[in-house]
Amino acid sequence: GIDYSATAVALAQERVAPTPWASRCTFLLGAITQQELSGKIFDVVFALDVFEHLSPNELQGLLRTILPWLKPNGRLIFHTSPNRHYYSVSYRIVWTLSLLLSRGQVPQDARCDYEKEMHINELTDAELRETLRQAGFAFEIKRFGLERIMETIKQARFWPYVQRSLSRLTCLPSVRSFTNSDFIGMAAQSHDVLDKYYRLQPGEAIALDHPFFFH
């Protein structure tokens, strides 16, 4: 584990100490881009809820640091939320309609104080793909998280037929890059690695109700 916060490193060490795998864990203090780790040493690197807290330049630095650390079959597994289009497009549409058509109380600003302070780089689907591409990764990205917009539609207390229509609309594949709140994905040095670990066989189905289903 790598973190620039001494408090976070101390907490991680404290939490892992009573576990059976304590002797297998190492925690490093400092920025990841300043770690002197050479060679292709990692099978898997996790970056969960990290991207949205880094500036675009910092995120590029992170990704370009990770890429040469991966073994030939190594993978970067990531999760980032929220999809900026969720707030800027789909939520705004529902909020506007709630003013015109409903009796509910939908807040004009859906972001909590934590998000306003800490989320300095919320990404859209296209921005996330371009960021990974520029860093030299092959990647697969999935979108999930319709429950946020569904809850907002419910909160607005629209007439039943309006609520049903909006709910159906949010599920359409063509608009899910705007209505899904979360991104999950896997990145690697080549698509051959992704084919090995990620893709489903033709006709195979998998539930997407858990963000890390592909583990």
Short mmCIF file of all heavy atoms in Angstrom, two decimals, residues 3 22 45 47-48 73 80 99 104 121 180 185 193:
data_model
loop_
_atom_site.label_atom_id
_atom_site.label_comp_id
_atom_site.label_asym_id
_atom_site.label_seq_id
_atom_site.Cartn_x
_atom_site.Cartn_y
_atom_site.Cartn_z
N ASP A 3 0.73 5.54 0.37
CA ASP A 3 -0.08 6.72 0.69
C ASP A 3 0.84 7.84 1.14
O ASP A 3 1.86 7.59 1.80
CB ASP A 3 -1.10 6.40 1.79
CG ASP A 3 -2.28 7.37 1.77
OD1 ASP A 3 -2.09 8.54 2.12
OD2 ASP A 3 -3.38 6.94 1.38
N ALA A 22 -0.55 -10.33 7.95
CA ALA A 22 0.19 -9.13 8.32
C ALA A 22 1.63 -9.15 7.81
O ALA A 22 2.17 -8.13 7.36
CB ALA A 22 0.17 -8.95 9.83
N VAL A 45 -2.62 -3.97 -9.67
CA VAL A 45 -2.60 -2.70 -8.94
C VAL A 45 -4.03 -2.21 -8.82
O VAL A 45 -4.77 -2.19 -9.82
CB VAL A 45 -1.73 -1.64 -9.66
CG1 VAL A 45 -1.87 -0.29 -8.97
CG2 VAL A 45 -0.27 -2.08 -9.69
N ALA A 47 -6.60 0.90 -7.90
CA ALA A 47 -6.78 2.34 -7.69
C ALA A 47 -8.28 2.57 -7.56
O ALA A 47 -8.97 2.83 -8.54
CB ALA A 47 -6.19 3.14 -8.85
N LEU A 48 -8.78 2.43 -6.35
CA LEU A 48 -10.22 2.48 -6.10
C LEU A 48 -10.56 3.82 -5.46
O LEU A 48 -10.06 4.16 -4.39
CB LEU A 48 -10.64 1.32 -5.18
CG LEU A 48 -10.16 -0.06 -5.63
CD1 LEU A 48 -10.61 -1.13 -4.64
CD2 LEU A 48 -10.66 -0.39 -7.03
N ASN A 73 1.38 -9.82 -17.78
CA ASN A 73 -0.05 -10.09 -17.62
C ASN A 73 -0.67 -9.28 -16.49
O ASN A 73 -1.76 -9.61 -16.01
CB ASN A 73 -0.29 -11.59 -17.36
CG ASN A 73 -0.12 -12.41 -18.62
OD1 ASN A 73 -0.33 -11.92 -19.73
ND2 ASN A 73 0.28 -13.66 -18.46
N THR A 80 -13.96 4.77 -10.22
CA THR A 80 -14.03 6.21 -9.99
C THR A 80 -15.48 6.65 -10.06
O THR A 80 -16.27 6.15 -10.85
CB THR A 80 -13.16 7.00 -10.99
OG1 THR A 80 -13.21 8.40 -10.68
CG2 THR A 80 -13.61 6.78 -12.43
N LEU A 99 -39.08 20.99 -10.90
CA LEU A 99 -39.61 22.33 -10.66
C LEU A 99 -40.91 22.56 -11.41
O LEU A 99 -41.81 23.26 -10.94
CB LEU A 99 -38.59 23.39 -11.09
CG LEU A 99 -37.29 23.49 -10.29
CD1 LEU A 99 -36.44 24.62 -10.85
CD2 LEU A 99 -37.58 23.73 -8.82
N GLY A 104 -42.21 17.21 -5.31
CA GLY A 104 -41.09 16.80 -4.49
C GLY A 104 -40.09 17.92 -4.25
O GLY A 104 -40.20 19.02 -4.79
N ASN A 121 -11.42 16.32 -9.90
CA ASN A 121 -11.28 15.86 -11.27
C ASN A 121 -12.31 14.77 -11.58
O ASN A 121 -11.97 13.66 -11.95
CB ASN A 121 -9.86 15.33 -11.51
CG ASN A 121 -9.60 14.99 -12.97
OD1 ASN A 121 -10.21 15.55 -13.87
ND2 ASN A 121 -8.69 14.04 -13.20
N ASN A 180 -25.55 6.78 -15.58
CA ASN A 180 -24.82 5.95 -14.62
C ASN A 180 -23.84 6.80 -13.83
O ASN A 180 -23.14 7.66 -14.40
CB ASN A 180 -24.07 4.83 -15.34
CG ASN A 180 -24.98 3.68 -15.74
OD1 ASN A 180 -25.06 2.68 -15.07
ND2 ASN A 180 -25.69 3.86 -16.85
N GLY A 185 -13.37 -0.56 -14.14
CA GLY A 185 -12.66 -1.03 -15.31
C GLY A 185 -11.35 -1.70 -15.00
O GLY A 185 -10.91 -1.77 -13.85
N VAL A 193 -4.11 -9.14 -22.68
CA VAL A 193 -4.29 -9.36 -21.24
C VAL A 193 -5.76 -9.20 -20.87
O VAL A 193 -6.31 -9.99 -20.10
CB VAL A 193 -3.42 -8.37 -20.44
CG1 VAL A 193 -3.65 -8.56 -18.94
CG2 VAL A 193 -1.96 -8.56 -20.78
#
